[in-house]
Amino acid sequence: MNAGKLLSYIILAIVVIAFVVSIALKGFLVTVGAFLTLFIFSFLYKDNPYYKFAEHLFVGASAAYWMSMGFWKTMVPNLFGKLYPPMVAWAVPALKNNPAQPLMLIPLVLGILLLMRLSSKAGWISRWALAFIVGTTAGLNLVRYLRSDFIQQINNTVFSLYVTNASGFDLGATISNVIIFGGVICGLIYFFFSKEHKGAFGAGARTGIIVLMITFGASFGYTVMARISLLVGRMQFLFGDWLGMIR
Amino acid sequence: MNIFEKMVGLDRRWVFLFLFVVVTGAYFFRNSFSVNVTTTREVRSIYDFVENLDPGSKILISFDYDPSSLAELHPMSRAILMQCFRKGVRVIGVTLSQYGAGMVEEAFRKFGSEADSLYNTHVEYGKDYCFIGYRPYPGFVILGMGENFRIFFPRDYYDTPLDDLPIMQGVRNYDDIEGVIAITSGTTADMWVIYGNARYNMPLALGVTGVMATDYYPYLGNAIFGLIGGWKGAAEYEKLIGEKDAATAGMPAQVAAHLTIVLFILIGNIGFLLSRRSKKTGN
């Protein structure tokens, strides 16, 4: 037996002993949660079988949960419960008195057509269902996106560059508006490629890059905060709920 | 290899270890130093919105996140719910995340009983709050609730018909509530903006993860009236309601982590510049 193999057995023995002791002291669920957290953290050192185990367990459990939620929250109440309520009344008594809706045959057929993708010969039929999905979604999104991401955004950039309030000139709001207005204009100039970025236009484009860099920096700062929040959350669990070292 | 090259080629595992030690230390000794959290207008506007509602008013809170974002978003959920319970504002809860239902149900019960013990209230299910559960396809659910809550949610999470809940009496759609606060960790925030606000024009505020926050600032003032970004936003909200909880407790660790990362960025860049200079000079 080589040294590497011996070390893996020693680590496995330590993990098993710690797991059993922890179950006895802290209970099963907290112990499982704590060990899975440590297994995932172990990836920071390097890829290993403990990490793989936790990762696969997570993927499998998530997929199963998602499937069962999809069945009981979508298929049963929205399809079977409306198409022929007595079919699912044994499982969901609340649906028993619902009237049958034959129109639900349409989504049923579309759903079956979508599953035709699994067949190499009849796969083309699924395009009908896909066309319905794409058409509906595109139609819904077009108008709404135009309003929220285009018209409202333009509206938000059209404001006074000289702001006054009850006490007179508002320096802070004026500076804020000038920065927003200038930032938007310079950002747009940077993405305008039909004219060479030279002279005053080039200066605007370079300012646009600076604005973009500041935006990326702010995003990075927020991302660090988000990740540290998750780390602290896990630490609260490990040191608090599991080890009882912090309250 | 000179010291500058060593600085640039530092094994990332040392960075992880150092960061872990710093964050752990800062969290353990969080009571030894405090971080002054200043409140921002975007967070204050949500607080003011709830604070200015009359007792008995109804709002919809959508908890569109799952346990993977719990650590980051639960503090703001707690802060908003506590303010609502204290004020007597009634909350209709919903989740558009398939993994969120159990977590939200537990949160309502936990924060409800916390409010009872802290404010001497008697938060009651069905009267002060309700949880109508989860339905898939967020965009369609948001559109459906704009017509009638009962289209997608004929019954609540506990299988009680919505019409049997006192809180839902007289509530048909967004027109019958004061506004929506969506606490989300994914693209559902976009859907609230494009399907909820752009279609039905109801007052909308967002609570989002730190990663998402900068993406939603452009909507401030038009599509959304307030924005809570990550733990900093949650800590601001805790300060506004006068209760220091998880987000405030985590701020020293946040500051320590940010300073550590800035330090490593400086070390890496100084190392890079000096090693480049030493290569140019041939030393």
Side-chain angles (χ1 to χ4, degrees):
Chain A
M1 188 183 289
N2 62 31
K5 217 168 191 177
L6 182 65
L7 186 64
S8 348
Y9 284 131
I10 291 171
I11 291 172
L12 180 64
I14 292 169
V15 168
V16 171
I17 291 166
F19 188 75
V20 172
V21 171
S22 174
I23 286 175
L25 294 174
K26 293 287 176 183
F28 182 72
L29 288 178
V30 172
T31 301
V32 170
F35 273 77
L36 289 175
T37 303
L38 293 174
F39 288 174
I40 293 289
F41 277 173
S42 70
F43 184 76
L44 293 174
Y45 181 69
K46 68 175 186 180
D47 203 357
N48 62 76
Y50 299 99
Y51 169 75
K52 286 276 184 228
F53 169 75
E55 186 188 37
H56 289 120
L57 187 70
F58 175 73
V59 172
S62 299
Y65 184 81
W66 192 84
M67 271 188 73
S68 59
M69 285 292 279
F71 182 76
W72 288 106
K73 294 287 180 187
T74 311
M75 302 291 281
V76 170
N78 292 345
L79 183 64
F80 305 132
K82 289 182 177 172
L83 197 61
Y84 186 60
M87 185 164 58
V88 290
W90 62 272
V92 190
L95 299 174
K96 191 171 59 183
N97 298 324
N98 281 5
Q101 299 177 29
L103 271 179
M104 285 294 139
L105 279 170
I106 297 172
L108 176 66
V109 170
L110 285 173
I112 292 168
L113 292 186
L114 206 55
L115 288 174
M116 289 294 173
R117 277 183 78 85
L118 300 172
S119 158
S120 55
K121 284 183 182 171
W124 60 273
I125 301 177
S126 68
R127 289 180 197 161
W128 293 351
L130 276 175
F132 177 80
I133 294 169
V134 171
T136 312
T137 314
L140 276 171
N141 282 352
L142 181 69
V143 183
R144 307 288 156 235
Y145 263 115
L146 264 179
R147 180 168 170 185
S148 63
D149 284 53
F150 189 66
I151 296 169
Q152 281 187 342
Q153 292 307 313
I154 293 172
N155 186 43
N156 235 20
T157 327
V158 180
F159 40 52
S160 173
L161 296 179
Y162 181 82
V163 185
T164 53
N165 55 24
S167 55
F169 177 60
D170 188 339
L171 180 67
T174 301
I175 291 173
S176 175
N177 284 6
V178 168
I179 290 173
I180 292 172
F181 181 76
V184 170
I185 296 297
C186 293
L188 287 172
I189 288 173
Y190 174 71
F191 285 106
F192 189 80
F193 301 117
S194 299
K195 182 174 162 58
E196 200 175 353
H197 290 177
K198 282 166 72 177
F201 197 74
R206 281 192 295 280
T207 312
I209 295 175
I210 294 169
V211 171
L212 289 175
M213 290 300 167
I214 291 170
T215 311
F216 297 149
S219 280
F220 178 70
Y222 263 116
T223 304
V224 170
M225 182 174 73
R227 302 303 178 229
I228 297 301
S229 306
L230 300 180
L231 174 63
V232 173
R234 282 294 83 194
M235 277 168 36
Q236 281 172 335
F237 174 73
L238 290 176
F239 293 118
D241 298 351
W242 186 41
L243 297 176
M245 291 165 69
I246 48 176
R247 289 275 166 258
Chain B
M1 185 184 279
N2 62 33
I3 186 153
F4 309 125
E5 285 165 343
K6 278 184 184 169
M7 282 162 77
V8 175
L10 185 70
D11 191 328
R12 64 195 167 97
R13 286 175 290 195
W14 287 112
V15 179
F16 296 148
L17 182 66
F18 194 77
L19 197 60
F20 181 77
V21 170
V22 166
V23 171
T24 311
Y27 193 77
F28 268 89
F29 297 104
R30 62 188 181 278
N31 296 326
S32 306
F33 60 99
S34 63
V35 176
N36 184 26
V37 177
T38 51
T39 56
T40 52
R41 193 170 48 185
E42 51 270 26
V43 175
R44 219 167 28 241
S45 59
I46 301 178
Y47 170 81
D48 290 340
F49 166 75
V50 177
E51 203 62 20
N52 292 330
L53 292 175
D54 294 326
S57 306
K58 294 164 188 171
I59 61 168
L60 176 78
I61 301 184
S62 187
F63 303 87
D64 308 328
Y65 59 97
D66 54 34
S68 65
S69 309
L70 182 146
E72 199 178 359
L73 295 178
H74 240 35
M76 64 178 79
S77 297
R78 180 191 176 277
I80 297 169
L81 280 178
M82 295 299 265
Q83 187 194 11
C84 290
F85 292 149
R86 186 173 68 185
K87 275 283 300 176
V89 171
R90 294 175 178 176
V91 178
I92 301 165
V94 65
T95 180
L96 303 178
S97 163
Q98 67 265 41
Y99 301 114
M103 179 194 71
V104 176
E105 194 263 348
E106 188 193 4
F108 265 120
R109 277 192 287 114
K110 186 180 169 197
F111 301 147
S113 59
E114 265 185 54
D116 285 348
S117 57
L118 275 173
Y119 312 131
N120 211 16
T121 54
H122 183 64
V123 177
E124 196 181 320
Y125 184 82
K127 180 173 160 276
D128 300 300
Y129 77 94
C130 73
F131 178 46
I132 57 178
Y134 160 75
R135 284 291 179 273
Y137 306 109
F140 297 109
V141 177
I142 292 166
L143 284 171
M145 288 193 293
E147 300 301 322
N148 191 336
F149 281 99
R150 288 152 191 82
I151 294 174
F152 281 96
F153 299 96
R155 292 165 178 272
D156 71 353
Y157 182 75
Y158 303 101
D159 219 19
T160 309
L162 246 51
D163 292 324
D164 290 355
L165 298 171
I167 188 176
M168 294 305 290
Q169 303 298 317
V171 177
R172 182 180 158 82
N173 53 35
Y174 301 134
D175 292 339
D176 305 312
I177 56 174
E178 304 300 326
V180 178
I181 301 174
I183 301 167
T184 106
S185 66
T187 53
T188 319
D190 286 321
M191 295 178 189
W192 275 111
V193 170
I194 62 168
Y195 296 132
N197 177 267
R199 169 71 180 82
Y200 296 103
N201 213 23
M202 80 294 200
L204 173 68
L206 294 177
V208 296
T209 60
V211 178
M212 296 162 63
T214 46
D215 292 342
Y216 292 93
Y217 268 92
Y219 293 117
L220 258 177
N222 50 56
I224 57 174
F225 67 84
L227 179 70
I228 308 175
W231 261 25
K232 167 69 168 54
E236 289 177 41
Y237 214 99
E238 286 176 0
K239 185 179 181 180
L240 287 166
I241 64 167
E243 265 186 47
K244 291 180 178 176
D245 202 66
T248 310
M251 287 315 282
Q254 289 283 359
V255 171
H258 275 75
L259 289 175
T260 307
I261 286 169
V262 168
L263 179 74
F264 276 112
I265 289 172
L266 286 174
I267 289 173
N269 279 282
I270 291 168
F272 172 73
L273 290 171
L274 293 179
S275 64
R276 195 169 65 172
R277 183 181 287 179
S278 68
K279 271 180 195 164
K280 273 185 185 170
T281 53
N283 296 326

